[in-house]
Amino acid sequence: MIEFFIEHVEYITECENCGLDLSRSRSGKNVAHILPKSKFRSVATNDNNIMYLCTTFDRSDGQTGCHEMFDGSWERAKTMPVWELAKERVERIKEQVKEKHKILFNFE
């Protein structure tokens, strides 16, 4: 799994939600799983199950990072600009998801 994060760090340029420049601070913490890797092991390393999101540590304005907001609750995630992108990416991998979990209802 560590290699997965390392591979993706080189592609991070900005937060896909708010557009914050991440080119200087990028790290594995900016690789956000759409379907949680702990519950959806079948797609944990699928490139379509991630987004590049800023964290609180990337921000100098004191605001909560987009990664933390997305992971905080599905209700909040659904209000974020990146939600439609998340839905599109889940649609691409839905046939590969082997787990049955209520989280999937958020993407219908």
Side-chain angles (χ1 to χ4, degrees):
M1 181 68 78
I2 292 171
E3 295 83 21
F4 177 78
F5 287 100
I6 292 170
E7 176 185 320
H8 279 277
V9 167
E10 70 180 86
Y11 298 110
I12 300 169
T13 57
E14 66 181 26
C15 176
E16 291 186 273
N17 186 66
C18 71
L20 182 71
D21 180 8
L22 298 173
S23 60
R24 293 189 184 141
S25 63
R26 63 186 176 200
S27 74
K29 293 177 182 173
N30 299 120
V31 180
H33 282 79
I34 301 166
L35 297 176
K37 62 186 178 295
S38 62
K39 293 179 175 45
F40 295 91
R41 294 185 187 270
S42 62
V43 292
T45 57
N46 188 302
D47 293 340
N48 283 303
N49 189 33
I50 62 162
M51 298 179 294
Y52 302 135
L53 300 176
C54 67
T55 70
T56 301
F57 300 107
D58 298 310
R59 303 190 66 90
S60 60
D61 59 6
Q63 298 294 312
T64 301
C66 296
H67 192 160
E68 290 89 351
M69 288 193 303
F70 189 87
D71 287 354
S73 78
W74 290 110
E75 295 311 311
R76 181 183 292 172
K78 290 177 185 180
T79 67
M80 297 172 69
V82 78
W83 180 250
E84 289 304 315
L85 177 61
K87 285 175 40 180
E88 288 172 21
R89 291 185 180 166
V90 168
E91 181 67 24
R92 290 182 202 156
I93 62 172
K94 70 179 181 180
E95 299 299 323
Q96 298 167 24
V97 174
K98 295 178 183 171
E99 298 81 5
K100 304 294 181 210
H101 196 283
K102 63 184 178 181
I103 288 172
L104 294 170
F105 292 119
N106 290 291
F107 295 92
E108 293 182 345

